[in-house]
Amino acid sequence: MRCALSLKLSGEEGRAVLAKVTGHLDKASRISRSMVHVLMLRHIQERLWNRKYTADMESILDLDMLTTAFVVTYVRLHLGGAASGFERNDLPERLRDRHDEILTMRNERFAHDDPATSLITDMTEIQYVDGVYELHSSLSLRYQFGGSPDWKDLIDAIEAILAARSEKLISKMTVASGVEWRMATQPE
């Protein structure tokens, strides 16, 4: 992991403080990276939710693209590892089925080329036209326009999990170093 630090501390005193929290800084960096994924998820979910869909191929492809981006980013965040991911049981119980659906979508549809319930292709007909055999196939897609209404709640829950983890880490850093630490807030 790469962690770029800009230090504005006085020499020996600053190095002494950092020495006491070195082990915590890597965790802080992972939490920070996870929060970027949460920001991405929120953006994708809002794009899905606010997009005006029409019955044409462009809308279908946009829906597929945004859903793929959401699922891949969600699973990347979930599988992020210690201090950067989250466990299924960390989520509120009412959202765990939605979590499972996202993992199933990832496994069946996006990560592998398994026949998935959300994408079904089939050769439906063979026609003989003007001395040429034509294969006709069909495509059946199953999506929910706007994504699942629970996706926003999932993002909120993950953000709360990471915020609590961050607060706990900052508290440990304060105790370990004897000086106050806090996460800087980002302008909106």
Side-chain angles (χ1 to χ4, degrees), residues 115-127:
T117 56
S118 62
L119 173 66
I120 300 168
T121 58
D122 194 14
M123 188 171 344
T124 58
E125 188 176 334
I126 301 173
Q127 291 183 353

Side-chain angles (χ1 to χ4, degrees), residues 36-159:
V36 170
H37 290 304
V38 169
L39 179 67
M40 288 180 200
L41 281 175
R42 193 168 303 286
H43 176 76
I44 297 164
Q45 185 273 326
E46 287 173 1
R47 292 274 309 267
L48 278 164
W49 194 255
N50 294 320
R51 187 169 190 322
K52 303 296 180 216
Y53 293 97
T54 56
D56 59 24
M57 189 55 77
E58 183 175 347
S59 279
I60 291 169
L61 293 174
D62 281 351
L63 177 61
D64 185 64
M65 173 186 61
L66 290 168
T67 302
T68 302
F70 185 91
V71 169
V72 169
T73 303
Y74 181 91
V75 174
R76 182 182 299 138
L77 178 60
H78 166 62
L79 299 176
S84 63
F86 64 94
E87 297 295 324
R88 179 186 189 272
N89 289 338
D90 293 340
L91 297 170
E93 191 169 335
R94 71 174 194 79
L95 296 174
R96 292 177 188 167
D97 286 344
R98 201 65 59 231
H99 168 85
D100 294 342
E101 287 175 7
I102 293 171
L103 294 182
T104 298
M105 286 174 66
R106 181 258 186 201
N107 292 336
E108 290 182 356
R109 171 94 193 276
F110 300 114
H112 307 287
D113 196 17
D114 296 338
T117 56
S118 62
L119 173 66
I120 300 168
T121 58
D122 194 14
M123 188 171 344
T124 58
E125 188 176 334
I126 301 173
Q127 291 183 353
Y128 186 74
V129 179
D130 298 326
V132 176
Y133 288 95
E134 291 181 349
L135 299 175
H136 294 259
S137 60
S138 67
L139 172 64
S140 175
L141 298 167
R142 187 181 135 245
Y143 283 107
Q144 181 163 337
F145 289 105
S148 171
D150 289 332
W151 285 4
K152 182 183 181 317
D153 294 340
L154 269 173
I155 296 166
D156 291 343
I158 295 165
E159 189 170 40

Side-chain angles (χ1 to χ4, degrees), residues 21 169-182:
V21 297
L169 180 63
I170 292 298
S171 177
K172 286 180 179 181
M173 291 171 70
T174 298
V175 168
S177 66
V179 296
E180 185 177 351
W181 288 80
R182 68 173 175 228

